[in-house]
Amino acid sequence: MEDSNRSSNPSIHDVSDLARRIVLRGGFGLAAAAVFAPLVGCTGGPPSASAPRLGFKGVAASTADALVVPEGYTASVLAAWGEPVGIAGQMPAWAPDASNSAAEQAAQMGMHHDGMQFIPLDGSRRGLLVTNHEYTDDGLLHPGGMQPWTAQKVAKSQAAHGVSVIEIELVGGRWQMLRPSRYARRITAATPFAVGGPAAGHALMKTAADPGGRRVLGTIANCASGATPWGTVLVGEENWADYFYPAEQPTAHERRWGLRRNSWYRWHEHDPRFDTVRHPNEPHRFGWVVEIDPLDPNSTPVKRTALGRAAHEGAWAAVTKEGRAVVYSGEDAAFEYIYKFVSRDRIRPAGGGLTAAQANSTLLDHGTLYVARFDTDGTGRWLPLLHGQGPLTSDRGFADPGEVLIKARQASDALGGTRMDRPEWLAIDAASGWVCCALTGNRDRGSGTHPGPDAANPRAGNTMGHVIRWQEEGDFSGERFRWNHLLLAGDAANERPEARGDVKGDAFACPDTLAFDARGVLWIGTDVGSGSLNQGEMARLGNNQLLACDPARGEVRRFLVGPARCEIAGCSFTPDGTTMFVNVQHPGEAPGARNDPAAPSRHSTWPDHRPGGRPRSATVAIRKDDGGVIGT
Ligand code: FEO
Ligand code: CA
Ligand code: CA
């Protein structure tokens, strides 16, 4: 796990008073209710007055190699790794021995499904699924794993990254892929991207292959995603640092971004642009939020540099009362930051021959980026990353606005943003104005020379993670906010107080995915690392899972348990709420290593359960047998 922030900020947040932390941790405790009374009121009244929103019978923790859903629900596998996405004339069948070529993989679902958005085409009966493919396990991706390691295998790994667009339809109560489809598309680590915003054409973005600094090949490490009101999908580039191979002694700038000489992917051995000695600016072209228009399969996706460079988990849009876009994001790395971007311009409607996506094709190129500072009194501030203001000046290493964005981490260090416990997904409840962020955990908090607990990140050795939330002052564009903890994850049966948490309901750890449904239920997917699952403090928690949280009552109930050694990733709904799509990522992930190609079924055979076969990441569609709304 990356941990590259050696800045000393922000000491003013350090909270050594345990009593103070207890007040702040009790999202729904009496003390917290008193401190945050105006916030609690905004959810629609005191918790006891709201009707229960969780109507299903929770499922037990499980360690089985099976997907478990509540009684009265059915889950069906929809789009596993290797299924052809449906490009006319290019629909190669999946080869269970992983013998598909790189070209075939580039027309098939990529590996290790992550963030996902359902884009309706015909209400809740037909639509697009836009799915990220975060990383590859090259032990499973090729018949012989990485032995030998070849240019063809690098090309296949690159083709298994990126994003898939598929068209799906509900037929007789069951979702199926429509193939061929005019929307079917693969975006990979080789697809041309445009660059938008202040860093487009910047000297630090220029390479030998792209002297203009405005055209980048590919997107990688695509973790979470969010749909925009103008019909596009925003995708994060998260652990991109793992793909680059620097000099034996990386520069201070490279070290701040986590570049180190242990490239997990070994792409640089056959693709020199991932060798930063030869191509030092190539890493600057990753770590952006990318915007994709899934309704136009011929559109060029864009890297939106105005949103800042980071290990972006994903990005999520809200709309202000006057119609401007606000995009929240965070970076999932230990002790890194939460950001928001406020657009300069208002969102434009479709018209004049333009779709909504086309009418807003430069909306995210102009605006202000902020980093979050969480203060001990339950308020917070958004600190603007504006060139020329405060420490963001040429003499401090920020020559221009583009350099501030390319070096957003260093700018946030200088401004004093709050160093968080690995920000994962955010979710916005537009009705109440609550913005939630999953902080998946940070076992280094408070150890050695690492920062100790602070108000926002209140536990040392934070193995369990928490969900923080805030409401903006005035509107989503506000520069101040009030915050509290929705919950601290954990298991009340744990011996270590810091690992018990305050969950009212089913125990869980390591929140990652967050998604509000239309009823205001917050769905929480977990990502306990493969090396920690079902042992130690995680012993009673079972496989990774999806839980429903009723924020008004603070109640948490386990809805789904995934197969062995998976994590639960994307979660998206049809507009009527009767189908939930969930991505099951990396079933059978080997702890801390790749899978052994000689024994691909050692840790899981889900979903095919073919003897000796490979486990496959897959999207599942979940419906209630009576056709009702999920979770009721
Ligand atoms: Fe890709 Fe932060 O999970
Ligand atoms: Ca994630
Ligand atoms: Ca994660």
Side-chain angles (χ1 to χ4, degrees):
M1 184 189 65
E2 195 209 339
D3 169 10
S4 310
N5 193 345
R6 297 291 172 268
S7 74
S8 59
N9 63 295
S11 57
I12 56 168
H13 310 292
D14 291 347
V15 179
S16 55
D17 176 4
L18 185 63
R20 177 71 191 162
R21 294 211 298 275
I22 289 169
V23 169
L24 289 165
R25 76 170 54 169
F28 293 93
L30 276 179
V35 171
F36 300 112
L39 294 181
V40 173
C42 290
T43 63
S48 59
S50 61
R53 280 187 272 196
L54 308 184
F56 62 92
K57 185 178 170 197
V59 300
S62 161
T63 58
D65 190 26
L67 186 94
V68 183
V69 291
E71 287 173 23
Y73 286 80
T74 300
S76 52
V77 174
L78 181 57
W81 161 49
E83 290 300 317
V85 294
I87 301 166
Q90 277 182 274
M91 295 197 284
W94 184 63
D97 63 356
S99 61
N100 287 118
S101 67
E104 288 170 338
Q105 175 66 78
Q108 298 172 326
M109 294 294 288
M111 205 178 214
H112 289 346
H113 304 24
D114 205 320
M116 170 180 52
Q117 301 297 322
F118 177 78
I119 307 293
L121 292 174
D122 180 9
S124 296
R125 298 190 307 119
R126 189 168 64 88
L128 305 179
L129 274 185
V130 182
T131 293
N132 297 349
H133 302 288
E134 187 182 27
Y135 74 103
T136 57
D137 178 343
D138 288 84
L140 295 177
L141 186 65
H142 321 282
M146 296 179 79
Q147 297 299 330
W149 190 231
T150 65
Q152 290 75 22
K153 288 180 179 177
V154 170
K156 185 175 181 185
S157 176
Q158 293 180 343
H161 278 72
V163 180
S164 293
V165 181
I166 61 173
E167 185 175 355
I168 60 170
E169 185 178 35
L170 185 63
V171 180
R174 192 179 172 107
W175 287 91
Q176 57 189 40
M177 293 171 70
L178 265 170
R179 294 180 288 195
S181 163
R182 75 179 191 87
Y183 299 102
R185 184 175 189 184
R186 277 303 320 282
I187 291 168
T188 73
T191 302
F193 276 70
V195 181
H202 195 280
L204 291 170
M205 297 289 280
K206 294 177 178 175
T207 64
D210 175 31
R214 294 175 183 274
R215 186 177 180 275
V216 178
L217 290 185
T219 186
I220 53 176
N222 303 106
C223 195
S225 63
T228 69
W230 54 96
T232 64
V233 175
L234 302 177
V235 169
E237 296 182 332
E238 189 196 15
N239 295 314
W240 52 268
D242 295 343
Y243 295 75
F244 290 94
Y245 194 72
E248 200 168 337
Q249 295 295 329
T251 65
H253 171 52
E254 288 175 329
R255 286 199 306 276
R256 182 65 190 87
W257 288 92
L259 268 65
R260 56 209 182 279
R261 217 169 207 204
N262 60 350
S263 164
W264 170 257
Y265 290 94
R266 295 173 56 193
W267 287 0
H268 67 283
E269 294 175 26
H270 296 287
D271 187 345
R273 76 182 170 115
F274 293 94
D275 178 342
T276 73
V277 175
R278 296 172 69 179
H279 301 282
N281 282 345
E282 193 68 29
H284 298 148
R285 294 145 65 84
F286 295 89
W288 302 107
V289 171
V290 303
E291 185 170 19
I292 296 166
D293 177 4
L295 295 169
D296 179 0
N298 298 313
S299 59
T300 301
V302 184
K303 304 211 174 195
R304 297 294 182 193
T305 66
L307 278 61
R309 180 162 164 265
H312 277 295
E313 176 78 10
W316 293 269
V319 181
T320 68
K321 294 182 188 78
E322 60 174 8
R324 287 190 288 160
V326 176
V327 181
Y328 292 94
S329 67
E331 57 176 329
D332 176 12
F335 303 107
E336 299 297 349
Y337 302 108
I338 293 174
Y339 294 95
K340 88 169 173 184
F341 166 86
V342 180
S343 71
R344 182 191 68 188
D345 303 325
R346 294 189 172 100
I347 300 167
R348 296 196 178 113
L354 299 178
T355 65
Q358 290 162 347
N360 294 286
S361 63
T362 60
L363 179 74
L364 298 185
D365 290 341
H366 307 283
T368 305
L369 181 69
Y370 300 83
V371 63
R373 192 186 76 193
F374 293 82
D375 293 324
T376 55
D377 63 355
T379 67
R381 276 184 181 271
W382 291 105
L383 310 172
L385 277 70
L386 285 174
H387 179 254
Q389 280 196 13
L392 305 184
T393 52
S394 302
D395 58 337
R396 298 280 295 267
F398 303 100
D400 49 44
E403 188 158 5
V404 169
L405 296 165
I406 291 166
K407 297 179 175 173
R409 274 190 183 175
Q410 290 98 321
S412 299
D413 294 345
L415 289 170
T418 300
R419 303 170 60 180
M420 309 299 290
D421 284 348
R422 297 183 55 199
E424 299 257 26
W425 290 57
L426 289 113
I428 302 156
D429 185 13
S432 67
W434 282 110
V435 182
C436 296
C437 181
L439 298 158
T440 200
N442 181 358
R443 62 183 63 241
D444 288 338
R445 174 75 64 183
S447 76
T449 57
H450 294 288
D454 61 28
N457 304 277
R459 292 187 286 184
N462 183 10
T463 53
M464 294 290 169
H466 51 289
V467 178
I468 200 165
R469 62 177 186 167
W470 61 88
Q471 279 181 317
E472 308 286 8
E473 186 177 275
D475 203 342
F476 286 113
S477 54
E479 294 195 351
R480 291 165 164 268
F481 57 90
R482 292 175 64 82
W483 64 271
N484 64 21
H485 290 119
L486 175 61
L487 56 82
L488 303 184
D491 178 353
N494 273 332
E495 200 171 307
R496 195 171 63 99
E498 302 281 22
R500 290 177 191 154
D502 64 1
V503 178
K504 193 172 147 189
D506 290 326
F508 73 98
C510 304
D512 185 339
T513 302
L514 292 184
F516 276 110
D517 68 17
R519 297 188 304 129
V521 172
L522 181 66
W523 296 83
I524 304 173
T526 72
D527 177 18
V528 177
S530 305
S532 306
L533 276 170
N534 297 311
Q535 54 187 291
E537 293 177 340
M538 311 295 180
R540 289 164 295 276
L541 301 182
N543 297 344
N544 278 308
Q545 53 200 267
L546 182 73
L547 306 107
C549 171
D550 178 349
R553 302 167 71 90
E555 185 186 1
V556 173
R557 195 174 299 173
R558 189 180 296 111
F559 178 80
L560 172 155
V561 180
R565 298 190 177 282
C566 77
E567 79 178 72
I568 300 301
C571 175
S572 190
F573 295 86
T574 52
D576 66 4
T578 62
T579 300
M580 167 195 272
F581 300 100
V582 173
N583 274 338
V584 175
Q585 193 192 51
H586 66 67
E589 185 182 65
R594 295 179 185 85
N595 265 285
D596 178 357
S601 59
R602 179 175 295 161
H603 299 294
S604 170
T605 55
W606 190 88
D608 306 312
H609 298 303
R610 184 184 281 118
R614 286 165 159 73
R616 292 202 279 171
S617 295
T619 304
V620 294
I622 300 166
R623 292 187 41 90
K624 215 173 168 183
D625 297 338
D626 66 6
V629 171
I630 301 292
T632 57

